[in-house]
Amino acid sequence: MSTNSRDGTVCMHTLVSLCALKNLSIELPYNFPLELIDEIISWNENDFSFLYSVSLVSKTWRAAALRYLFKLASFLCKHDFVRWRQIGASLPHVAQYVRTVMVDLGTLRTLRHRAKSLPTGFIARTYDLSNDSALLTSALDFTFPKDSEFDVIIPIMRNAKKLIWTTPSAEDGFDPTAANVTRFLQSFPNITHLYYLSLNLFRPEVQAHYMSFFHNLRKCSFTSWKSTQSAHVYVFSGHPRIDVSKLEKIWCEECEPGSLDWLVDDVLHYSPSRIRKIGWEYGDPPFSPNNFARLLLMAHETLEELCFRPPWSTDDMEDYEAPPFNLTILPVLRILSFKVLHISEEGLSIMLWLDSIFAVFPSCPCLQRLEFIFHVTESRDIDDLFASRLLDWNSLLEVRFPSLKVIEFEMLMTLSDDFDAAERKRVETIVRQSTEMVNCDKFVMRWT
């Protein structure tokens, strides 16, 4: 049966569907072509129970399933370190299949939450979640192994590209300067995407120390960063050798104001990067105005996409200090987005914020797309926002963005009968009239 033929493809898809059905016993042939076996397994790559089952069929099926069974290496408790030591000792080639590493040494609540992002059946097969007390015993110790007990040398995972790292708590005895932490992070030498979740924030020098392990970074995502810092001071031997010259993207979510200033002060200051995309969509500005201006100055020659939003609360917006941009032009910026702008009773404050930004924002001769995403609750809020005409759209866009081709307004609606088809058309007319003199090829308005 050929996987390239129409009949073969239909048969293969039917077989895959049957295999995916629960409570259905099916005997899989041993002599399938390798490409067909790979296709069947890839269709079920996130079903851990299925992968485990087919790995027991034969050596051929086992070899094909291993690539997906071990694509994720998770470290949720001390038991996982021991398990990977055993895997490295008995099946050293398995480490080459790991593509994503997850480190989250948290509580039972964290484990249950993380179960949503793990392959189907992984948690159930690895841990007994039916007994909460069992998860709280020393057999599943949710702490990083101490240096004195860290005889667990895990295999080098050279093909791992993504690291999801939740910073352990100092209160749990985690010491970021310890040799065991260094050996552990050195097991992933080719990480390109660092997804960094920090609920227990260490001091800036600790964060810079972490970044020094990853010399191939291209993307950094930061979530839930706090402005407060631990009082515990760690002493490092010399300044870490930081190399983030390949970094292209910085993305932030749900961070507190100024919580990522260390990234500018202690990382990018020592290792310039060719950053192409910077943005945050939810939460407050993670950089102070001064450091945001410094960040754009560092990236201005390569920055192609920029997305940011105002402070979360209206009170912070009224006291907002526009970044002191120390440059007059972003020569290659092509997409500029403002997300998510809440326009209920504070609609005019948002326009004043936009006006303060545009007043000092560098010109962008290559800008082709300008996006605004508004969160609206009532249509009259949009009326007030655009009827105020606080912004001179035509003058602003023609002078600063002469190459603009698309201006897009997206309205995120709260569920309400206020936005029927006729009302949407009326609101769209108001927005178009407010920006009717804008010189761009395409005007887009979307409702979501």
Side-chain angles (χ1 to χ4, degrees), residues 103-346:
V103 182
D104 189 351
L105 300 166
T107 59
L108 173 63
R109 175 185 58 80
T110 302
L111 181 60
R112 288 188 180 277
H113 174 72
R114 289 301 178 198
K116 300 177 182 178
S117 61
L118 292 173
T120 305
F122 177 85
I123 289 291
R125 184 174 295 278
T126 309
Y127 308 107
D128 179 15
L129 291 185
S130 63
N131 185 355
D132 287 357
S133 62
L135 284 171
L136 300 178
T137 63
S138 58
L140 287 176
D141 189 352
F142 295 98
T143 58
F144 201 91
K146 297 179 182 179
D147 198 40
S148 58
E149 61 187 10
F150 200 92
D151 59 344
V152 183
I153 306 300
I154 66 173
I156 303 297
M157 303 176 185
R158 300 189 185 279
N159 293 325
K161 302 299 182 182
K162 183 177 182 179
L163 173 61
I164 305 172
W165 173 269
T166 300
T167 305
S169 172
E171 286 70 24
D172 292 334
F174 179 74
D175 181 359
T177 66
N180 60 337
V181 178
T182 297
R183 289 199 299 270
F184 177 71
L185 292 177
Q186 287 175 342
S187 301
F188 324 113
N190 296 314
I191 294 296
T192 60
H193 184 184
L194 176 61
Y195 187 90
Y196 206 169
L197 177 67
S198 182
L199 299 176
N200 304 286
L201 186 60
F202 289 92
R203 296 173 65 86
E205 61 269 20
V206 176
Q207 316 304 341
H209 175 70
Y210 284 147
M211 299 290 285
S212 67
F213 289 99
F214 310 112
H215 297 162
N216 294 297
L217 274 184
R218 285 175 170 79
K219 301 179 182 179
C220 273
S221 302
F222 302 91
T223 303
S224 300
W225 281 73
K226 307 297 182 184
S227 299
T228 55
Q229 299 175 2
S230 169
H232 194 101
V233 178
Y234 297 92
V235 179
F236 297 90
S237 56
H239 196 280
R241 187 176 67 86
I242 295 175
D243 180 5
V244 291
S245 57
K246 298 178 182 178
L247 185 62
E248 297 179 349
K249 177 181 177 180
I250 298 174
W251 191 259
C252 319
E253 291 185 4
E254 300 178 2
C255 296
E256 291 187 353
S259 57
L260 292 180
D261 280 345
W262 63 269
L263 186 63
V264 177
D265 294 331
D266 300 304
V267 177
L268 296 175
H269 175 75
Y270 294 96
S271 178
S273 306
R274 298 185 61 82
I275 301 175
R276 299 180 182 276
K277 182 175 181 178
I278 300 172
W280 62 90
E281 187 170 348
Y282 299 101
D284 284 299
F287 304 100
S288 64
N290 284 336
N291 271 331
F292 182 43
R294 288 181 60 201
L295 179 61
L296 289 193
L297 182 61
M298 293 175 179
H300 79 280
E301 292 183 350
T302 56
L303 188 63
E304 297 177 357
E305 185 172 350
L306 176 63
C307 170
F308 62 107
R309 54 155 293 129
W312 189 257
S313 70
T314 308
D315 293 338
D316 290 340
M317 225 183 313
E318 292 175 353
D319 299 330
Y320 181 77
E321 176 187 354
F325 296 115
N326 297 318
L327 67 162
T328 58
I329 186 173
L330 290 172
V332 296
L333 189 70
R334 288 175 171 77
I335 301 176
L336 176 60
S337 305
F338 296 94
K339 309 176 182 181
V340 171
L341 309 175
H342 292 258
I343 54 172
S344 53
E345 67 278 359
E346 65 266 25

Side-chain angles (χ1 to χ4, degrees), residues 11 29 52 73 80 82 102 133 137 154 164 175 208 237 298 334 370 392 396 406 421 429 447:
C11 291
Y52 182 79
D80 291 327
V82 177
M102 175 187 290
S133 62
T137 63
I154 66 173
I164 305 172
D175 181 359
S237 56
M298 293 175 179
R334 288 175 171 77
L370 181 62
D392 183 350
L396 169 68
V406 177
T429 300
W447 298 82

Side-chain angles (χ1 to χ4, degrees), residues 347-356 385-386 388 390-391 393:
L348 294 182
S349 296
I350 287 178
M351 276 303 191
L352 291 172
W353 177 82
L354 284 171
D355 184 56
S356 69
L385 183 69
F386 287 92
S388 65
L390 290 177
L391 287 177
W393 293 93

Side-chain angles (χ1 to χ4, degrees), residues 428-439:
E428 182 172 343
T429 300
I430 291 176
V431 177
R432 283 182 178 276
Q433 290 175 348
S434 176
T435 59
E436 63 181 353
M437 297 301 293
V438 172
N439 182 23

